[in-house]
Every structure is written in structure tokens, then in C-alpha cells.
Amino acid sequence: MTAIANRYEFVLLFDVTNGNPNGDPDAGNLPRLDPETNQGLVTDVCLKRKIRNYVELEKEDDAGYAIYMQEKSVLNNQHKKAYDALDIKPESKKLPKDEAKARDLTAWMCQNFFDVRTFGAVMTTEVNSGQVRGPVQLAFASSIDPVVPMEVSITRMAVTNEKDLEKERTMGRKHIIPYGLYRVHGYISAKLAERTSFSEDDLELLWRSLINMFEHDRSAARGEMSARKLVIFKHDNPMGNAPAHKLFDSVKVERVDGEADSPARQYSDYHVSVDSESLPAGVSVDERL
Amino acid sequence: MSYGVRLHIWGERACFTRPELKTERVSYDVITPSAARGILEAIHWKPAIRWCIDRIHVLKPIRFESIRRNEVAGKLPAGTVSKGIKSGRVDEVHYFVDQNRQQRASTILRDVGYVIEAHFEFTSRADDSDTPGKHLDIFNRRARQGQCFHMPCLGTREFPAAFELIESEQQMPAVDDDLSGERDLGFMLHDIDFANGKTSRFYRAKMQDGVIEVPPFQEALA
């Protein structure tokens, strides 16, 4: 597969209604908040997990789309496989002395595992197949406006332990955000894609996963989450044609006229505009969704 | 012999991990010369040159924030390697994240801005085609247009760095009043000595009105 030849940046807008997009283990699973501004946060790794899950669902057992960070096995088995496939004797904690063989191992991992190809992976375990820096880089997502988490108490008409029988019911708690629109920025480097052979097909799969990842991630805690807008900036030059921050500035998310101080409760309370007129030369914009 | 460049970088968050506090990451107060070098290399680098950081200007007050995330626990003994599957097959081969999970907190910096002043020197791998002007031009042209090899980051990849070249005639961005006076930041990582088995070298960072003079790497303490 030939690697992509353009640099990309993207802005993804997604929203949550009556749910918890990403719990904070430090705060008893309350939705993550930026302590200074009260904006909601969703970490990069949370979104990467969802992308991996989507790819796994879509591609199931397709060759070359295996997901490495998944279930019921051990990292080292993966590397052992690479060694077995290439018939190299594992050396403890070091790359094989022969650099070509080390490269083969890494290449094999990239070839077979979508998430290694996309996000990279550190494979400096006891059976070593090197370290890969993937082309796709995600930042933290944060909400446009401050969000107000609510604690909802719920009751259950059953008990867990026999000794609690006379209580008849137990109480539980859920944390939800009534509404939040989140924005996340991503970067894709063509030069790193060359090294992991991240191809055009992989890129299309990544766009699909960004659009659909919430559709397959329904749960009691999440509420209603959906991707609302994906704006893709494509540079003609593999090194890029414009600073990323300037491109991101052209995507504006504002409250609809006259509602600036009221709480937002749906996507239509926001107005999203992409200033595609004043884009720098050599950058094209593609709006999906 | 002026190959100096000045690059303004800024971002929402940053984490320049202290090597002594790696598990629950705690960031240094300011960017390390090592991270600054990585940012320059993300824009332009060839084996023929080596970036040397001369000065770091800290533009914004130093503020911290804590974030806790689920991370993978990493290594497992190779003794558990199963040989049940024939070579080249990847089915049912996964890293079981929910069984090898650690929750780790990171104490990270918020809302940072720096100016990196640096120059480059030639390494032994330079040949006749490597003139100072050439590399300087490439770097300046790329930084001016926002081009980069990969997006530079502020310590870790989830914290991307926006960057802008400061032209030679341009004024420096203003330093926040919070940073005036002298501040001793203690021993800080200077860079890692890759020639000598990746040993770390440290220097005593002193900030005078937001400016840290970085000694040459050779003078840093091993």
C-alpha cells in the first residue's frame, strides 16, 4: 500500500445529551472538567479507543486490520508472532542487532495492525519489535461552553446481598451533562505515514470511524452522543501549506443570535461556520457531515 | 557565524515529564532544552545538523493541572508467550487493555507560551553540500509557512504545539509580569546523551525575568 502524500488537519465536533462522555477517575467518575474554565474535557485516548473499536467492528477479521490494543492476550505474543513469522530469535529487551531485521519486524506490525499503523505503538517489551510513531495525532477535546454536570440519583428494586433483603431497594448515582458540544483537533503527518505505510484506504477508514464511532458506543452512561461535523483540511504539500492554528481558527462555533447567555440544550443552539473563502493557497477544505 | 533562529511556540497544555517522577507524571515548570530541540527537529532536521538551544523565553505564568487517565500497564514476562498459533497469523492476538490497566495521574502545565532561541552545528555526517545558509533557509521557510515534518508537541503528542517564526527584525512577544525577578528552577534535564548509552545530563536552570540561559550540552552535568 502506498502511503498518503498530503498533510491533513481535522476538526471534529461531537455532542452529548444527558450523558457522560468521559468519566474522571479522580472525581468519582464525574464528567471530566477543566478546573479553570469548567469546560468539559474528553481525553485523546478516550477517542482513540472508540476509533479502534469502530475499526474492529467494521473490519472484523480482514487481513491487515487487526487491532493490537484489544483483549485477552499479551503484548509479547504479538511480538513473538512477528519474530516467528520472520524466523528471528528473540533477544531480550533489545532490537535485533541486524537493523534490517528490526525494520522487518516493525514493518510486519504496521502491515497487520491498523492501530499500530495509525497511532503508533511502543514495542520495547522483552521480545522487542521496536517503536512506531504513527501519523495520526489527536489532542484533548474540550467543550465550546462550560458544562454543568448533574448528579442523578436512581433506585434499583433489587438488592445484591441477602442481608440487605429488608431494605428492598438500593440507591445508585449517575453523572450526566445535560448538553455539551465538544471540539477536537487532529493532525495527520504524511511523512510519518510513509514510515508506517498509512494509506489512502486507511485514511478513508479513519474518517468513517470519526463519523461513526459514537454509533457503536451506546451505553447507559454515555447518553446520546453523536458526531456533528467533521471538517478536513488537506494540504497540497506533504509538509503542509499553512500553519495548523490558522486553519483551525477558520472553523468558528458560535451560539445562535440572541441566545448567548442561555444554556445550550441542542446542536441547533449553535451555529458552525467554516470560512473557506480566506483559506491559504494550497489548502482545500472538505466538510463531512 | 549566525545561524540563530527564534521560534514562538504555544499551546493549551504541556507535559515535560520530570525523569524522577515518571509513573505519575509531573511536569517541569518550563520546557526542557530536550523538548525544545524535538520541536525544532519536527520542523526541520537532517543527520548533518544538530540543534543547540541557546535561550528559552517563558512568556506565560506557570500553572499546573492534574489529569488522570487509564493507561496500559505495559510489560509482561516473555515466559507467557504462547506458541499455539502458527507464524504470520494475527487472529485473536490482542493486548487485553482492561486487564492490564493502570490509572495514572499526570500533573501538567496549562496555557504555555515560549520562545526558543537556537542555532545549529554540523555533525560529522555533514558533507560539502551542507552549508549553513541552506539549512537556515529551509528551517525559516518552513516555520514561516507553518510547514512541518510532523506536528510538534509540548512534551507528549496529545499536546500539539502551535508555532510561528519570529523574523530577525520582529519584536519578541511580551513576557508576563508574573515572571519578573530571578527564579531558581533547580536541576533540570538538559538533554539525553545518545552517544553514551542514553544517559541524561542536567543543568541548573535559572530564570531571569522569564529568560533561561541554556548552557551548551557539553557543559551540562552528567
Side-chain angles (χ1 to χ4, degrees), chain B residues 1-7 40 43-46 49 51 54 117-122 129-144 165-168:
Chain B
M1 287 267 285
S2 160
Y3 327 141
V5 297
R6 290 188 303 173
L7 190 72
L40 299 177
I43 297 169
H44 171 64
W45 178 78
K46 283 279 191 301
I49 61 169
W51 285 106
D54 302 323
E117 282 193 66
H119 68 277
F120 59 83
E121 289 168 3
F122 287 117
S129 67
D130 290 302
T131 56
K134 172 178 123 176
H135 288 289
L136 192 64
D137 280 351
I138 295 176
F139 181 88
N140 285 338
R141 195 169 55 235
R142 283 191 187 170
R144 204 170 284 139
L165 185 72
I166 299 184
E167 307 283 354
S168 47

Side-chain angles (χ1 to χ4, degrees), chain A residues 157-228:
Chain A
M157 307 312 278
V159 292
T160 314
N161 297 321
E162 211 164 333
K163 64 176 191 295
D164 295 330
L165 258 179
E166 61 276 13
K167 278 193 194 159
E168 286 186 349
R169 63 180 62 176
T170 40
M171 300 283 283
R173 282 185 317 194
K174 289 178 84 159
H175 296 287
I176 61 164
I177 288 176
Y179 185 80
L181 179 64
Y182 288 74
R183 173 177 179 151
V184 62
H185 293 170
Y187 309 79
I188 304 175
S189 153
K191 290 291 174 185
L192 292 178
E194 268 171 35
R195 298 182 179 192
T196 68
S197 323
F198 179 84
S199 66
E200 292 288 346
D201 288 355
D202 292 333
L203 186 71
E204 282 307 317
L205 176 58
L206 180 76
W207 300 143
R208 278 201 302 280
S209 66
L210 288 170
I211 291 167
N212 295 313
M213 60 187 175
F214 301 110
E215 308 298 335
H216 301 280
D217 187 56
R218 305 285 178 211
S219 77
R222 295 267 173 266
E224 293 167 52
M225 291 184 75
S226 45
R228 289 294 186 171

Side-chain angles (χ1 to χ4, degrees), chain A residues 10 12 14 22 32-34 40-48 137-143 182-187, chain B residues 12-15 25 65-69 71 104 106 108-110 156-160:
Chain A
F10 59 88
L12 174 70
F14 61 92
N22 184 203
R32 289 184 192 274
L33 286 184
D34 180 328
L41 285 180
V42 173
T43 59
D44 59 315
V45 281
C46 169
L47 296 169
K48 283 179 179 177
Q137 192 178 344
L138 278 174
F140 279 18
S142 60
S143 65
Y182 288 74
R183 173 177 179 151
V184 62
H185 293 170
Y187 309 79
Chain B
E12 274 290 293
R13 295 178 179 84
C15 180
R25 282 178 285 273
E65 173 184 281
S66 165
I67 190 134
R68 186 178 293 269
R69 286 173 287 188
E71 301 179 16
R104 292 189 188 176
S106 307
I108 60 173
L109 293 167
R110 272 310 305 273
T156 53
R157 285 191 82 197
E158 60 268 37
F159 307 131

Side-chain angles (χ1 to χ4, degrees), chain A residues 82-126:
Chain A
Y83 279 96
D84 286 349
L86 299 159
D87 211 17
I88 304 169
K89 218 170 127 300
E91 278 185 66
S92 183
K93 292 185 189 164
K94 284 203 288 282
L95 274 174
K97 292 229 170 16
D98 183 346
E99 272 191 36
K101 279 186 178 171
R103 270 201 301 275
D104 287 351
L105 285 179
T106 311
W108 188 91
M109 289 302 289
C110 289
Q111 217 179 325
N112 286 290
F113 292 93
F114 176 82
D115 57 340
V116 174
R117 213 162 46 229
T118 307
F119 303 127
V122 179
M123 294 183 276
T124 26
T125 52
E126 302 213 8

